[in-house]
Every structure is written in structure tokens, then in C-alpha cells.
Amino acid sequence: MGEMSMKGFWKRELYLLRPNLWFCGVFLGLLLLAARFAPLTGPLDFAVLFLVLLGLNGIQSLFLCDEINAWQAYAAAVPGGRRTMVDARYLFALEEGLLLMGAILLISVLRRESLSLWSAGFYGATLLVTLAVTLPIYYRWGGTRGKLVSVLFTFTLLGVMGGLSTGVLDSAREDLAQGFLREDVKGFFSAAALVLPLLGLGALALSRRVSRRIMQKKEL
């Protein structure tokens, strides 16, 4: 059995998620139209959280497909397959996080929000951190058994991050109401918009090492 490249593993992920990607594309298009012609107020609405959940659901569906077609056992039989399989999935997760940040940034700009970079960085980091924790869970227990643990963690983290966002934004509510930010407040949000995604990327990189170790030791 010949070696399968990273591109081959990645293309399989893309093929399996085609229905999800079509739905996400249509949903995002509707969000952009709404942001352009019927802008909402505030830095967050449920549509953004729905985008995050769509990204998480797509990754979960890949693990369920793995169980149905015994993909992990097949991939493990390919030279370097265990490592490459994990790397391809993490690449897909990283791309999801970057696409989400780009989508939120575009929506925020169309809505003329004052904290576009903050919104993109915060929710992009939320998705990356959530994936960083849930991916090893799925590799350890599989798509079915790991689902309950990952879902509980996901909604707990989203609740915590949502509360944190609300608390942080409350500190700038007076500035936002006036339509401008003081320099110190603006500096804080600018720094957070940069630091939070970097933390998310760091968490994802550490998670990748954990998942690799799990797959190297896993009996298939």
C-alpha cells in the first residue's frame, strides 16, 4: 500500500464536508446581505455563535465518518499515516478558524462596528481553543463516545467566553455609546485582537502534539 500524502488526506476531509460547506456558504451569504442592508447593533448576535457551532459540527462529523468506514485503521496502515491523518485534520481545523475570523471581520465592517478586529479575534480564538480541547477527545474516544464530553465542554466554554466578552465590553460601553474609544481602551482591544488568536493557535499546536501521541499509541 503506497504512501498517501497530506494533500490526499486533506482532500478527503474536503470531500466529506462538501454538504456542510455549501450550507455554511449560503448562511454566510445571507449574513453578509443582512449586515449590508439591515445592519444590527452590538458586536455579537446569535448568528456568529451559530457559525462557531457549524465549524465544530463539521469536525465532529468527520470523526463519525471515520468510525463508519474504519478510516483510522486504513490510514494507520499507510506509511506515516497516523501522523499525516492527524496533521490533515488539524490543518482543516486551522483553516476553519481563519475563515471564521475573516467572515466575522467582514460582517463587523459591513455593520460598521467599532470593534471589528476584537470580534474577529475573540470568536476565532474561541473556535480554535474549543477545537484544541475537543480534537484529542475525539481521537481518544471516537466520534460517538467522545461526543457527549466534547458537547458538554463546548457549551460550557461558549458560555464562559460569552460572559467574558460581555464583561469586557461593558467596560467600554460608555465609549461605544459615544461612538469612539479612548486611546487606552482602544489599545487594550487592539492588543487583545492580536493576542487572543495567537493563544488559540498555540493551543491548537499543543493539541496537535497530544493527538499525535494518542494515535501513535492507539490500537486499531
Side-chain angles (χ1 to χ4, degrees):
M1 187 178 295
E3 183 174 357
M4 189 174 181
S5 67
M6 163 80 86
K7 183 178 180 180
F9 281 97
W10 181 87
K11 287 176 70 175
R12 173 186 179 268
E13 314 280 82
L14 184 64
Y15 176 79
L16 291 174
L17 284 182
R18 282 189 306 173
N20 302 63
L21 294 175
W22 275 107
F23 179 79
C24 288
V26 172
F27 183 72
L28 179 59
L30 293 175
L31 284 182
L32 294 174
L33 286 174
R36 175 63 179 85
F37 297 107
L40 303 175
T41 58
L44 171 68
D45 54 50
F46 287 108
V48 173
L49 285 177
F50 190 58
L51 283 176
V52 174
L53 291 174
L54 281 176
L56 296 172
N57 182 70
I59 294 294
Q60 178 196 336
S61 67
L62 289 175
F63 283 98
L64 293 174
C65 290
D66 290 350
E67 289 187 352
I68 293 172
N69 57 29
W71 167 249
Q72 290 185 358
Y74 167 79
V78 177
R82 292 176 186 252
R83 180 184 67 255
T84 309
M85 169 179 54
V86 172
D87 290 348
R89 188 145 301 173
Y90 271 83
L91 175 60
F92 212 94
L94 173 61
E95 290 169 342
E96 274 196 350
L98 295 177
L99 286 173
L100 177 70
M101 284 189 278
I104 294 176
L105 179 61
L106 184 55
I107 292 171
S108 298
V109 169
L110 289 174
R111 286 165 55 169
R112 300 180 181 179
E113 294 182 353
S114 302
L115 300 174
S116 299
L117 289 176
W118 155 263
S119 297
F122 182 84
Y123 290 102
T126 299
L127 176 60
L128 292 176
V129 171
T130 306
L131 288 171
V133 175
T134 56
L135 280 168
I137 292 174
Y138 283 128
Y139 277 117
R140 176 64 181 84
W141 286 293
T144 302
R145 289 192 297 168
K147 180 178 180 179
L148 177 60
V149 178
S150 63
V151 167
L152 289 175
F153 171 81
T154 296
F155 280 97
T156 299
L157 180 63
L158 290 179
V160 171
M161 296 297 279
L164 178 62
S165 177
T166 301
V168 171
L169 291 174
D170 279 343
S171 65
R173 189 172 300 279
E174 181 178 345
D175 291 48
L176 292 172
Q178 295 176 0
F180 67 91
L181 297 175
R182 299 190 309 271
E183 286 302 317
D184 57 334
V185 177
K186 185 177 180 180
F188 167 79
F189 282 105
S190 297
L194 175 64
V195 171
L196 288 174
L198 291 178
L199 291 176
L201 291 172
L204 199 65
L206 179 61
S207 173
R208 171 174 162 267
R209 296 183 62 181
V210 174
S211 294
R212 273 186 164 193
R213 189 173 296 114
I214 290 172
M215 287 306 299
Q216 287 297 331
K217 298 179 179 179
K218 193 170 184 178
E219 294 290 337
L220 296 171

